[in-house]
């Protein structure tokens, strides 16, 4: 009989970055968090402060690592880096403005965001390949924590998280994952249960709490 304890993963998209503002394709390439992005990460940490987390994991992209550090703050939550949690590789589209891509590569964005699991940018990564590496990381994380159970933070990226949610729910619709939104999936005995997708309430509640605190102080 399998008696694993429940492991609940809180998937967090990173805070707003400079490339997000400029509307550039940002997968393996990187850009720093904006002041708004830093504020979002701090607000998220405050909004999650009443939940006990036993561990956290992050993509190796600096924007995600910074989000994790601002969100965790002074809390004693071990942070481990796993490059398999990285964003989708957009190949030749990396760092290009979305507005300039049609002139360079035609309708590649329409194809890329068609939800075809084999779709990919030229020299990039397909959704199937992305899911394979994401799933391998998550499977190891669940197995590592199954004996004790508990809540785990996973800091990652919008397409990476969104693609994972689509694959495990067999959904036909890609939810918009705002910066520092949270998707929650619990696992027990290998069975996932999706509890939240792209939820911004933790970030927004934390922002209100921090604003109140600053007024008092």
């Amino acid at each position: 009989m399998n008696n694993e304890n429940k492991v609940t993963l809180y998937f967090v998209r990173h805070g707003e970055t400079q490339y997000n503002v400029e509307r550039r394709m940002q997968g393996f390439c990187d850009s720093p968090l904006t002041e708004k992005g830093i504020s979002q990460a701090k607000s998220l940490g405050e909004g999650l402060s009443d939940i006990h987390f036993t561990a956290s994991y992050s993509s190796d992209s600096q924007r995600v690592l910074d989000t994790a550090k601002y969100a965790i703050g002074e809390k004693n939550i071990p942070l481990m880096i796993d490059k398999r949690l990285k964003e989708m590789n957009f190949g030749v589209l990396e760092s290009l403005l979305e507005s300039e891509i049609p002139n360079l590569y035609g309708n590649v964005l329409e194809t890329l965001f068609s939800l075809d699991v084999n779709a990919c940018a030229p020299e990039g990564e397909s959704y199937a390949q992305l899911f394979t590496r994401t799933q391998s990381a998550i499977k190891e994380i669940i197995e590592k924590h199954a004996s004790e159970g508990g809540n785990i933070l996973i800091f990652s990226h919008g397409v990476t998280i969104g693609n994972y949610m689509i694959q495990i729910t067999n959904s036909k619709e890609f939810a918009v994952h705002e910066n520092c939104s949270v998707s929650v999936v619990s696992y027990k005995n290998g069975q996932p249960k999706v509890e939240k997708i792209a939820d911004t309430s933790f970030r927004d509640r934390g922002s209100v709490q921090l604003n109140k605190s600053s007024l008092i102080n």
Side-chain angles (χ1 to χ4, degrees), residues 2-113:
N2 198 334
N3 291 315
E4 291 181 357
N5 287 305
K6 183 169 77 169
V7 177
T8 303
L9 302 186
Y10 286 69
F11 293 89
V12 177
R13 186 193 174 198
H14 61 79
E16 181 189 78
T17 68
Q18 188 60 41
Y19 277 9
N20 290 155
V21 174
E22 296 172 6
R23 298 192 66 81
R24 292 182 182 274
M25 295 296 288
Q26 185 177 223
F28 273 30
C29 68
D30 212 357
S31 70
L33 295 180
T34 62
E35 287 301 315
K36 180 179 178 180
I38 293 171
S39 177
Q40 289 171 330
K42 291 178 178 178
S43 295
L44 173 70
E46 180 66 23
L48 293 170
S49 61
D50 60 345
I51 301 173
H52 175 68
F53 292 98
T54 58
S56 62
Y57 295 81
S58 173
S59 154
D60 63 351
S61 294
Q62 194 61 49
R63 62 188 183 273
V64 183
L65 283 167
D66 288 344
T67 299
K69 290 171 183 176
Y70 282 117
I72 292 171
E74 300 300 316
K75 302 180 190 73
N76 185 25
I77 305 173
L79 177 63
M80 287 148 279
I81 299 172
D82 192 324
K83 64 182 181 181
R84 292 172 296 177
L85 298 171
K86 205 176 183 79
E87 182 61 295
M88 188 178 199
N89 182 353
F90 294 124
V92 299
L93 305 182
E94 291 282 349
S95 79
L96 293 180
L97 290 167
E98 291 178 20
S99 60
E100 66 184 337
I101 290 173
N103 289 332
L104 295 170
Y105 297 102
N107 65 348
V108 65
L109 288 181
E110 182 180 335
T111 301
L112 183 60
F113 296 117

Side-chain angles (χ1 to χ4, degrees), residues 36 39-48 200-215:
K36 180 179 178 180
S39 177
Q40 289 171 330
K42 291 178 178 178
S43 295
L44 173 70
E46 180 66 23
L48 293 170
T200 59
S201 65
F202 295 108
R203 180 198 70 192
D204 297 343
R205 182 169 67 246
S207 178
V208 171
Q209 292 168 347
L210 289 177
N211 285 337
K212 285 182 178 179
S213 178
S214 65
L215 290 174

